[in-house]
Amino acid sequence: MFKSKPTLMICCLVAIFPFILYIYLYPSMPDIVPIHYTGSIADRFVMKSSFEVVLLSGIGVLGCIIMKLLQVLLRKVFLRSYIENLAVVSRIWNAATMFVTLVLAAISIYALMSMV
């Protein structure tokens, strides 16, 4: 679990930022945007209001949710060793959750910026 609320708030803000960017960029996006590339050539296009584009902007949120679910699962599996090293494990897990969320949000931001 998150020991400090600022850590959780930072993860949430980082994960939600691509959604805000999508809403901001939506008017300037072309009607049809590339969603998949083979090398440097786009080979799949969708409408800018497609569910896939919204899902692309939400992979940071999905990463944060998956990390939290993994934390709960690992806590149940390794309960005794987790309790013995609670402070260390908590700090490491918070850093890993922030890292995964940040990387996935950065991928979303990069993909959205390349659509404009």
Side-chain angles (χ1 to χ4, degrees), residues 15 18-19 52-64 104 108 112:
F19 281 117
E52 293 167 336
V53 180
V54 176
L55 184 63
L56 177 68
S57 63
I59 62 173
V61 174
L62 292 175
C64 187
L104 292 177
S108 295
L112 288 170

Side-chain angles (χ1 to χ4, degrees), residues 4-106:
S4 64
K5 289 185 182 183
T7 306
L8 177 60
M9 293 192 54
I10 290 170
C11 280
C12 289
L13 289 175
V14 167
I16 291 174
F17 182 74
F19 281 117
I20 296 167
L21 182 66
Y22 172 65
I23 292 168
Y24 176 75
L25 292 176
Y26 187 82
S28 63
M29 292 172 110
D31 290 335
I32 298 175
V33 294
I35 196 77
H36 185 266
Y37 289 87
T38 301
S40 62
I41 300 169
D43 63 351
R44 186 156 178 259
F45 298 89
V46 296
M47 298 296 290
K48 68 180 179 181
S49 60
S50 171
F51 176 72
E52 293 167 336
V53 180
V54 176
L55 184 63
L56 177 68
S57 63
I59 62 173
V61 174
L62 292 175
C64 187
I65 291 171
I66 289 171
M67 289 297 287
K68 293 307 294 174
L69 291 175
L70 273 173
Q71 182 181 15
V72 170
L73 178 68
L74 291 174
R75 183 180 291 165
K76 287 184 179 184
V77 172
F78 301 108
L79 185 60
R80 175 173 285 163
S81 62
Y82 184 83
I83 291 173
E84 291 172 1
N85 301 315
L86 183 62
V88 174
V89 172
S90 184
R91 273 186 259 138
I92 292 171
W93 198 263
N94 288 344
T97 302
M98 288 181 67
F99 178 75
V100 168
T101 304
L102 182 64
V103 168
L104 292 177

